[in-house]
Amino acid sequence: MRVWRLILFTGTVLGAGALMSKGLIDDGVDPFVVSSLPFIAGGLFACAVAFRRGELETGALVPAAILGVISSAAPALLFNTGFENLPAGIVTLIIAIVPVFTALVAHVMYADERFNVVKGAGLTLAICGVAVLALGPGADGGLSGAG
């Protein structure tokens, strides 16, 4: 049961973050500001915690910063720029496609992460569900034309 609470919490937090980003951008805040401030604050917090624990290795700071930009900050900036130019439903659908690419890359790079029928069916079902929610009647301007 604890796992399901964590999944629910994570989904709620990530969903709320996307809605807050969309609201800030709609209010005229630059997507770069919306994207960068949480990562700067998070990085400083992580460094402070590591320093307090005596686990901060200065040699790891530059590689960690590069990893953070490539894996988190750059995609966030792209998504937030998308929020500026596209309806949230379309951006949500694009975000939902990320696990498909992850599964395909993992299939090529890792022998123990082979793509199979069950993974394919699960990813297809998930994307179809997101598409129904993001693009269906009452969506915020997706392909349905509603909004």
Side-chain angles (χ1 to χ4, degrees):
M1 189 63 171
R2 180 175 188 264
V3 170
W4 290 108
R5 285 193 305 261
L6 291 172
I7 290 171
L8 180 62
F9 173 76
T10 302
T12 302
V13 169
L14 291 175
L19 290 174
M20 290 183 347
S21 293
K22 173 75 172 149
L24 289 168
I25 291 165
D26 285 349
D27 288 344
V29 179
D30 185 77
F32 181 79
V33 173
V34 174
S35 301
S36 62
L37 290 180
F39 290 101
I40 292 169
L44 292 173
F45 178 76
C47 285
V49 170
F51 179 76
R52 182 180 168 121
R53 292 181 175 180
E55 299 172 356
L56 183 63
E57 296 182 24
T58 55
L61 290 177
V62 171
I66 292 170
L67 178 63
V69 167
I70 292 171
S71 68
S72 297
L77 178 59
L78 291 172
F79 294 135
N80 287 333
T81 302
F83 279 135
E84 187 176 46
N85 299 300
L86 296 169
I90 299 295
V91 175
T92 303
L93 188 57
I94 293 168
I95 293 169
I97 293 172
V98 171
V100 173
F101 292 107
T102 302
L104 293 174
V105 170
H107 174 78
V108 173
M109 294 188 68
Y110 302 104
D112 61 339
E113 288 289 337
R114 294 293 177 216
F115 199 80
N116 58 38
V117 174
V118 174
K119 287 181 184 179
L123 290 168
T124 301
L125 182 62
I127 289 173
C128 288
V130 171
V132 167
L133 293 173
L135 306 175
D140 70 337
L143 298 178
S144 68

